[in-house]
Amino acid sequence: MSQIIEITAPPLPQYIISGSTHMSYGGKHLSRKNIGVFDLLVVSQGCLYVGEEKRNYEVSAGHALILRPDCYHYGFSGCKEETVHHWLHFQVSGNWRVIEQSEYCKQHSAQEGEEGAYMSLHPFTTTPFALAVPQFTYLPQLQKMIDTIDELTEMNRTSHHSSVRLKQQALFQDIVGLLAASLETAAPSPGSVCAEKAAAYLREHYREPFSAKRLGENINFHPVYIARCMQKVFGCSPAAYMLLIRIEHSKLLLVQTDMPIERIAEEVGFNHAAYFTACFTKQEGLSPRRFRQHFAWNRES
């Protein structure tokens, strides 16, 4: 039976930290008890075998599981293949509870009319509302979820700046929204499936020259349809999405290596360093060189 984590807001859930983990054959999730924070696990490759109290979950690619802060968690089996999962810790300062999905649906249906009447009588009163997210779910927009977690993780390097923390908290609400949306969607729409497949292909082949025709041939959708679906799901065209991926990878190389700018441009798929610099500057608001200097200074200070 599916379970729902129902969070009373305000206050809204708060992002803490995130990352990703690669597990080889036989690798297991850590055994922990009462860690004090929620732990969101999103599997993009393979399968993670995780138990919480007396419930065991096989979290295969495309699925998400939320581990609760007050329970015992354990890996009940080792991975049977290379497995990649993205994790995110968050905290809830207000009230929350766990409820069976069938019971939640009954209560939610009965309360809708009462809440509307209350709001009409008290138009200037701030009233709490319920955020409902499934504890274990299939994610119709897996790639969008992964992209958002990756963006949050990238921002951890400068999270000592209050402005960055504010951006992270705002971005985390998108994560909550994607989880809530998975509760309402029994199966992904054809457009969502197309966009996710296109995004996954582009993330894997970002070093190669972009070709709408080759993209369409590889995921078996017409290029025009792919562009329409990606615009709806990701808010950009396939070419623009690939450019964003290239920039994200270049940022990691700028911060983590001493490679020359020209070499980094080539490494992430740009034929000309000048074009890379122009795209990077337009996207980030500063040149690759200034970006590297800024983060090198932050690491030393």
Side-chain angles (χ1 to χ4, degrees), residues 119-265:
M119 287 299 293
S120 64
L121 290 173
H122 304 275
F124 303 114
T125 301
T126 301
T127 57
F129 59 93
L131 291 171
V133 293
Q135 184 167 10
F136 179 57
T137 187
Y138 170 78
L139 294 169
Q141 298 187 51
L142 172 65
Q143 197 62 53
K144 191 170 185 179
M145 173 69 83
I146 293 172
D147 289 346
T148 307
I149 294 177
D150 285 348
E151 187 174 353
L152 281 165
T153 302
E154 173 67 23
M155 294 167 71
N156 285 338
R157 291 185 178 84
T158 52
S159 61
H160 55 285
H161 296 301
S162 58
S163 60
V164 174
R165 292 296 296 173
L166 178 60
K167 290 178 182 178
Q168 284 185 310
Q169 296 306 326
L171 196 58
F172 173 57
Q173 302 314 312
D174 292 342
I175 298 284
V176 177
L178 289 170
L179 289 169
S182 72
L183 181 62
E184 302 168 359
T185 307
S189 67
S192 177
V193 170
C194 173
E196 290 288 327
K197 285 186 176 182
Y201 177 86
L202 293 171
R203 289 182 70 88
E204 185 177 351
H205 299 273
Y206 69 92
R207 292 186 179 91
E208 303 170 9
F210 174 76
S211 168
K213 181 181 178 182
R214 189 185 307 119
L215 172 62
E217 289 172 349
N218 277 274
I219 68 171
N220 296 316
F221 287 102
H222 193 279
V224 175
Y225 180 68
I226 294 172
R228 188 185 308 130
C229 294
M230 289 204 71
Q231 186 66 46
K232 184 176 181 180
V233 174
F234 293 100
C236 63
S237 67
Y241 184 87
M242 176 176 268
L243 180 62
L244 291 174
I245 298 303
R246 287 174 172 174
I247 296 299
E248 288 303 312
H249 280 280
S250 72
K251 285 159 65 176
L252 291 176
L253 293 175
L254 285 166
V255 173
Q256 297 177 355
T257 76
D258 294 322
M259 291 170 59
I261 304 297
E262 295 75 12
R263 180 72 182 88
I264 290 176

Side-chain angles (χ1 to χ4, degrees), residues 3 5 29-39 50-55 57 65-74 96-98 135:
Q3 290 184 306
I5 297 176
H29 189 269
L30 295 173
S31 296
R32 297 178 296 187
K33 186 175 183 181
N34 298 331
I35 63 173
V37 295
F38 286 91
D39 187 3
V50 184
E52 180 180 85
E53 301 297 346
K54 296 181 180 180
R55 292 177 183 245
Y57 300 90
L65 172 67
I66 300 176
L67 299 175
R68 286 141 54 187
D70 57 346
C71 294
Y72 171 56
H73 313 128
Y74 53 91
W96 62 274
R97 64 171 180 162
V98 177
Q135 184 167 10

